[in-house]
Structure formats: structure tokens, C-alpha cells
Amino acid sequence: MPTPSMEDYLERIYKLIDEKGYARVSDIAEGLEVHPSSVTKMIQKLDKDEYLIYEKYRGLVLTSKGKKMGKRLMERHHLLEEFLEMIGVQDENIYKDVEGIEHHLSWDSIMRIETLVEYFKRDENRLQDLRDVHNELVNES
């Protein structure tokens, strides 16, 4: 199982490859706000753990294991963003909050949140009821 740091790199690499078709060390470093030397070290670790294949000066390619994990991590991120938006978290807080919680939730918790999101999507009245309860609680305080 990858560490939270490895997850951040895999998610970023997967996203870059999905958007651009490739992931360069400089793009990864910029996106994660780390030094290129840190990216190189992590890429070597991800290569050793068979999440990607890295050839110095030639770039990297995600293995099927890396693609599967990268996709899963991106989906987790999007799900948590959707969930926080759905329950009314202010837009300016969502990204930071997701970054803060995504590594601390079990996959069981993620699956339960996914079920809850689907529950609210199936009937907009449910979501309105949730918002009404929130507003009532805020007005009581």
C-alpha cells in the first residue's frame, strides 16, 4: 500500500498523463510544490514498487498497477470534493479540506461517502432537507 506521499505523487502523475499525455519531473515538482530532486527520489521509489517505469532522461510510464492506483486516487479526490460541495462547504475551503482529509480516511469510509453522495443524488429533496437542518442549526446558535 502506498504512503500518503506516494499517493500524492501517483495522483499528480496520473492527472498529468491524463491531461497532457506525459508527466515531466518539472511539472510534478511544480504541481506538488516540491524540489525536482524530491520528485526524482520518489519516482525511483515508485519505480522500485512497480507503480511506474522510469528511465533517466527518457521519462516515465505508469504500469497497470500505477494506472489503477492513480485512477482510484483521482476518483477519491473528486468524490470528496463533490461530497464537501454537496454538504455546503464553501468553495474556497474545499480543495484544502480534501487535501487534509483524503489520506486519513479508510477505503471503507470512502465507499460510505460514495453511497451517501449517491443517496443525495437520487432525490434532490433529501439534499434540501439536509440544507434545511443545517440552516436551522446555524440559526439556533
Side-chain angles (χ1 to χ4, degrees), residues 93-111:
N93 295 328
I94 290 176
Y95 181 80
K96 187 179 83 174
D97 287 351
V98 169
E99 288 298 312
I101 64 173
E102 67 184 338
H103 301 298
H104 301 284
L105 295 173
S106 67
W107 286 104
D108 181 43
S109 293
I110 297 295
M111 289 172 53

Side-chain angles (χ1 to χ4, degrees), residues 7-23:
E7 287 182 349
D8 285 339
Y9 279 85
L10 280 169
E11 183 179 346
R12 185 71 191 150
I13 292 166
Y14 183 87
K15 185 176 183 179
L16 283 167
I17 291 172
D18 188 50
E19 291 173 354
K20 297 172 125 184
Y22 60 90

Side-chain angles (χ1 to χ4, degrees), residues 15 40 42 44 48 67 115 126-129 138:
K15 185 176 183 179
T40 301
M42 181 57 78
Q44 290 168 343
K48 180 178 169 273
K67 287 178 189 173
T115 301
R126 294 171 179 162
L127 192 53
Q128 188 56 52
D129 288 345
V138 168

